[in-house]
Amino acid sequence: MLSGRTVVLGVTGSIAAYKIANLASSLVKKGANVHVIMTKNATNFINPITFETLTGNKCLVDTFDRNFEFSVEHVSLAKQADIFMVAPASANVIGKIANGIADDMLTTTIMACKCHKIISPAMNTNMFENPIVQSNIQKLKDYGYEIIEPASGYLACGDVGAGKMPEPAVLESYIMREIAMEKDMKGKKVLITAGPTMEKIDPVRFISNHSTGKMGYALAKIAMLRGAEVTLVTGKTSIPKPDFVKVVNVQSAKEMFEAVDKEFDTQDIVIMSAAVADYRPKEVATEKIKKKDGEAAIELERTEDILATMAARKKNQFVCGFSMETENMIENSKAKLEKKNLDMICANNLKVEGAGFGTDTNVVTLISKNWIKELPMKSKEGVAKDILDVIV
Ligand code: CTP
């Protein structure tokens, strides 16, 4: 996802510096060309050789290193960089960058950089709350630097409070959001539903289905990486929520209906990938249902068809549904496309291996009024990318 991209990581003197080895390694695995610049103090916490081994690039520390062409190194790296992240960023380095001081390799290079710059402050709570540090952070924000709010928790100095550098996975998600994909969905509002709905029968039981939410979550992640403003309305799932996405948690079809209803009119694209239970008990029993003659007596009613109701009132929205079929996939899906007034339907044949619920892959056929496009088996993220390519 990051091949052809250059990431510069600036590491300063804080105990959290050792965690950047994981970040550098993970970025390299994703195909990025990673360069690490350390302050002298940072070398007290982690050895430059660690980064050199992980990235295959020389780790830069001193502006006046005589072993390479120091005079142009910072400028050429600054030109190459697609993103520059300083993590952990000490109060000292934040102060220097904010006030135009460039007295080492890190501060000199970042000053010459025109790409997006992200700063992840990490320090003792009292230092972080110091008004001078806060004012420097504000100054950086005003100059267009992105600041990652430090997490709160137990700090290495023994204090508890704000000042912790977020975990490497969080730092990576900021980098990914910025450079993983072209921003061809910038300015678009996208609403995606995902996961199963759950209809209560009594305090113990419920009706649901096997949906894991993976397809919808992949769509939300890819749309976010392409620059869209994404709202994800999700039933209960066990997979991690995508970053930088507004998540609305729901359980029943009724709750999902209400959440979609609230957002629908302001959206540009609506993709309904949730597996909505078609039936719910007419009444939820307040006590555990007792079996009568060995048979549990529950009367069912249909849930509201969220997609059809919404699509009936669409104005400029592009509305896309999913269909799960076990036979006559194309005909049944085409019928749903017409009946529900959709712009596109993504048809799954549950009998095909690698398609449907629970798998990491999917096999989908895209159907619109005038054309049919069969996609090969791909990862769910790959399928999400293809679906969004067509919509865009
Ligand atoms: N859908 C919905 N509300 C429901 C049922 C389905 O919004 N109560 C949406 C699904 O999220 C999906 C599309 O409608 O995008 C088609 O769902 P599917 O279950 O394949 O079709 P149904 O209309 O439920 O028909 P059937 O289950 O009988 O095939």
Side-chain angles (χ1 to χ4, degrees):
M1 244 184 179
L2 294 180
S3 60
R5 300 297 196 155
T6 298
V7 180
V8 180
L9 299 175
V11 180
T12 80
S14 152
I15 180 66
Y18 78 93
K19 293 189 177 180
I20 302 304
N22 285 337
L23 175 62
S25 162
S26 176
L27 292 167
V28 169
K29 282 184 194 147
K30 290 189 164 67
N33 177 21
V34 180
H35 288 265
V36 178
I37 309 180
M38 300 173 77
T39 60
K40 256 204 178 118
N41 283 340
T43 61
N44 292 320
F45 294 93
I46 182 165
N47 196 302
I49 297 170
T50 307
F51 291 123
E52 289 176 348
T53 312
L54 291 170
T55 65
N57 288 319
K58 184 170 170 63
C59 180
L60 306 172
V61 181
D62 192 343
T63 329
F64 302 107
D65 186 338
R66 298 192 180 283
N67 293 325
F68 68 109
E69 286 185 50
F70 60 84
S71 56
V72 289
E73 189 69 22
H74 72 278
V75 178
S76 73
L77 189 54
K79 274 188 193 153
Q80 237 190 84
D82 292 299
I83 192 158
F84 196 129
M85 173 179 272
V86 186
S90 63
N92 181 47
V93 151
I94 289 171
K96 283 205 239 176
I97 301 171
N99 292 287
I101 297 170
D103 63 353
D104 60 10
M105 195 66 190
L106 195 161
T107 49
T108 311
T109 310
I110 203 166
M111 190 180 264
C113 254
K114 287 196 163 171
C115 65
H116 188 67
K117 295 178 270 284
I118 306 177
I119 308 281
S120 175
M123 63 198 77
N124 164 272
T125 308
N126 289 343
M127 287 172 80
F128 180 68
E129 287 171 353
N130 183 307
I132 302 174
V133 173
Q134 283 301 315
S135 147
N136 284 334
I137 287 176
Q138 187 55 48
K139 212 167 173 184
L140 288 177
K141 284 184 187 168
D142 296 343
Y143 282 121
Y145 287 67
E146 184 174 8
I147 307 292
I148 302 180
E149 284 303 312
S152 286
Y154 181 83
L155 304 174
C157 55
D159 286 356
V160 176
K164 244 175 115 70
M165 186 186 80
E167 291 305 311
V170 176
L171 300 179
E172 185 177 278
S173 66
Y174 277 81
I175 293 173
M176 295 299 283
R177 171 171 67 163
E178 205 53 39
I179 62 166
M181 298 186 91
E182 291 306 319
K183 302 290 174 264
D184 58 357
M185 293 183 78
K186 202 172 166 64
K188 297 278 177 238
K189 293 186 84 175
V190 181
L191 175 67
I192 294 163
T193 69
T197 62
M198 206 189 241
E199 308 299 334
K200 268 184 157 183
I201 296 172
D202 65 17
V204 179
R205 305 175 181 91
F206 57 84
I207 299 171
S208 192
N209 56 63
H210 293 295
S211 169
T212 56
K214 281 181 184 167
M215 191 62 238
Y217 279 45
L219 281 161
K221 178 180 167 184
I222 302 294
M224 176 279 291
L225 290 177
R226 290 169 82 147
E229 191 186 320
V230 181
T231 303
L232 177 67
V233 176
T234 174
K236 211 171 178 182
T237 67
S238 57
I239 54 176
K241 307 278 177 258
D243 299 300
F244 310 114
V245 160
K246 177 178 159 192
V247 175
V248 183
N249 291 300
V250 297
Q251 281 203 352
S252 63
K254 187 164 180 289
E255 284 172 14
M256 186 169 277
F257 183 95
E258 286 164 1
V260 174
D261 184 45
K262 212 164 134 194
E263 305 281 346
F264 185 84
D265 294 330
T266 59
Q267 302 296 316
D268 299 300
I269 298 163
V270 177
I271 307 176
M272 187 86 192
S273 78
V276 183
D278 285 333
Y279 294 95
R280 68 170 154 238
K282 246 185 174 163
E283 267 175 78
V284 179
T286 47
E287 297 296 326
K288 194 172 161 185
I289 289 179
K290 301 280 181 298
K291 288 180 182 171
K292 290 178 197 156
D293 310 325
E295 299 270 333
I298 40 167
E299 229 185 306
L300 298 175
E301 64 180 9
R302 281 202 81 96
T303 54
E304 39 284 277
D305 191 320
I306 307 169
L307 185 57
T309 312
M310 296 302 148
R313 74 170 202 238
K314 76 183 161 88
K315 291 201 171 84
N316 297 317
Q317 291 90 343
F318 184 97
V319 180
C320 172
F322 269 72
S323 73
M324 290 275 186
E325 306 296 340
T326 48
E327 54 190 7
N328 302 329
M329 181 185 80
I330 303 282
E331 300 82 77
N332 291 349
S333 303
K334 264 193 149 174
K336 281 179 195 172
L337 177 91
E338 296 281 334
K339 195 175 115 199
K340 300 195 186 200
N341 192 31
L342 309 179
D343 297 294
M344 185 166 93
I345 194 156
C346 310
N348 290 266
N349 184 342
L350 286 184
K351 288 201 172 147
V352 170
E353 200 165 320
F357 291 136
T359 54
D360 287 324
T361 56
N362 211 354
V363 190
V364 165
T365 301
L366 307 185
I367 303 170
S368 87
K369 246 187 197 138
N370 307 318
W371 50 259
I372 293 181
K373 189 176 161 77
E374 245 180 79
L375 301 180
M377 183 165 84
K378 286 193 177 184
S379 68
K380 283 190 171 163
E381 282 191 9
V383 172
K385 192 178 162 296
D386 287 353
I387 291 172
L388 293 172
D389 276 348
V390 170
I391 295 177
V392 166

